[in-house]
Amino acid sequence: HAAQRNLNGVRAEVTALKALLPVALAVAPLAAAAGGALAQATVKDDGVWRAALGISYTATGGNTNATTLSAMADAVRATPSDKTSLHTSALYGKSQGNRTAELWRAGAKQDWNLSSQLYVFGLVEGERDELAGLQSRTALGGGLGWKFFNADELKFEVFGGSTYVADRFDAPRLIDGEERRTYGHATMLAGEESVHKFGQGTTVRQRLTHFPDLSNRGEYRTTWDAGISVPATQAMNLTAGVSVKHNSDPGSGVKKTDALFTTGISIKFD
């Protein structure tokens, strides 16, 4: 009987995957153009590493020759006393022989719980955006956080601290009244993050982070990321997300605001 139940479960998974194939083919171009499916790893306080991966690829030929490849990964390990979070994403696009996108981001964050609500954290992040002329952006920082809600169905916390950011550009650009190829500066860090769970596993996450520049008063960077994950099978999820990034002083010839929309499929490794 147990073997029959397992066989029925496998058949159900295969049937679900067949039903999802047309959806995957339909949303893959959107996911690739936007930067990859949003990956959301499961968080449990048991000391086990869990991860999620979203990836998409599209190629067209004939009148238009275009290729886009994108990927996003998220890994988390949590215990009652601490939490380690890792994330990375990459986007590459080419059309008619010209690059349309070449971007990667990666980061790590470590939380240490001082109580059931108060914690301290440290973080490091890196970014490279070829088309924006950003060779590298490295941020190192830390601070304090407070968990207002920490239940399975609702998590909400605020955090604050400071970071040091080092930027390197392909060519000199006007920043803070000077032509610069490198720009190092200290910033404040303030933000909030929430996770909401509904029904049989649908998850909505959002995170808002604000970086006021301490070296160039009045300037700042703000990022907001949000996404929804709906389970399709035990390991596969349909995902959609939005990311908005604003820099009040990005340098001459660069737009201040970037927006990214993602939709596609992710796989969890629990």
Side-chain angles (χ1 to χ4, degrees):
H1 294 291
Q4 183 63 39
R5 284 196 299 268
N6 291 335
L7 181 59
N8 291 338
V10 172
R11 287 173 176 170
E13 291 278 335
V14 172
T15 301
L17 289 174
K18 287 181 178 178
L20 284 172
L21 184 58
V23 178
L25 294 176
V27 301
L30 295 174
L38 185 69
Q40 297 182 352
T42 303
V43 180
K44 293 183 179 180
D45 295 338
D46 56 7
V48 176
W49 278 103
R50 291 179 170 84
L53 172 66
I55 190 168
S56 61
Y57 174 80
T58 59
T60 61
N63 293 324
T64 302
N65 295 311
T67 301
T68 306
L69 174 66
S70 62
M72 183 176 290
D74 184 26
V76 178
R77 176 187 178 274
T79 72
S81 60
D82 70 333
K83 182 176 73 172
T84 304
S85 305
L86 307 174
H87 65 88
T88 184
S89 62
L91 171 65
Y92 178 81
K94 198 172 186 179
S95 178
Q96 301 298 95
N98 299 316
R99 284 183 304 167
T100 56
E102 188 169 343
L103 166 70
W104 70 262
R105 298 188 182 104
K109 183 171 179 281
Q110 179 67 46
D111 299 345
W112 294 274
N113 296 327
L114 302 180
S115 70
S116 60
Q117 292 181 293
L118 181 65
Y119 67 92
V120 297
F121 69 88
L123 61 84
V124 60
E125 294 183 344
E127 179 180 349
R128 181 182 179 90
D129 190 342
E130 288 284 348
L131 294 189
L134 179 66
Q135 281 191 355
S136 66
R137 169 172 290 147
T138 306
L140 181 66
L144 291 170
W146 183 267
K147 302 174 185 177
F148 283 94
F149 301 99
N150 197 29
D152 187 55
E153 67 276 5
L154 174 61
K155 299 180 187 294
F156 175 72
E157 59 190 66
V158 297
F159 50 89
S162 61
T163 65
Y164 182 80
V165 182
D167 293 339
R168 179 177 294 275
F169 309 104
D170 289 340
R173 62 179 60 179
L174 184 64
I175 299 178
D176 192 18
E178 296 183 18
E179 291 284 338
R180 306 171 186 264
R181 186 163 185 174
T182 61
Y183 182 47
H185 56 288
T187 75
M188 294 293 290
L189 164 63
E192 56 82 19
E193 183 175 10
S194 64
V195 181
H196 312 260
K197 288 189 177 180
F198 307 94
Q200 299 299 314
T202 298
T203 304
V204 177
R205 300 186 181 189
Q206 66 83 35
R207 178 185 176 95
L208 175 67
T209 312
H210 186 59
F211 302 89
D213 194 332
L214 297 178
S215 303
N216 185 10
R217 297 297 177 88
E219 305 298 344
Y220 62 90
R221 290 188 300 115
T222 300
T223 62
W224 182 66
D225 300 287
I228 183 171
S229 176
V230 180
T233 69
Q234 186 174 359
M236 184 174 291
N237 294 269
L238 301 177
T239 63
V242 62
S243 177
V244 180
K245 182 175 65 173
H246 179 80
N247 187 342
S248 65
D249 187 19
S252 56
V254 181
K255 292 184 178 181
K256 294 184 176 182
T257 303
D258 289 320
L260 180 69
F261 176 72
T262 61
T263 178
I265 293 175
S266 68
I267 300 174
K268 288 188 176 183
F269 301 91
D270 289 346

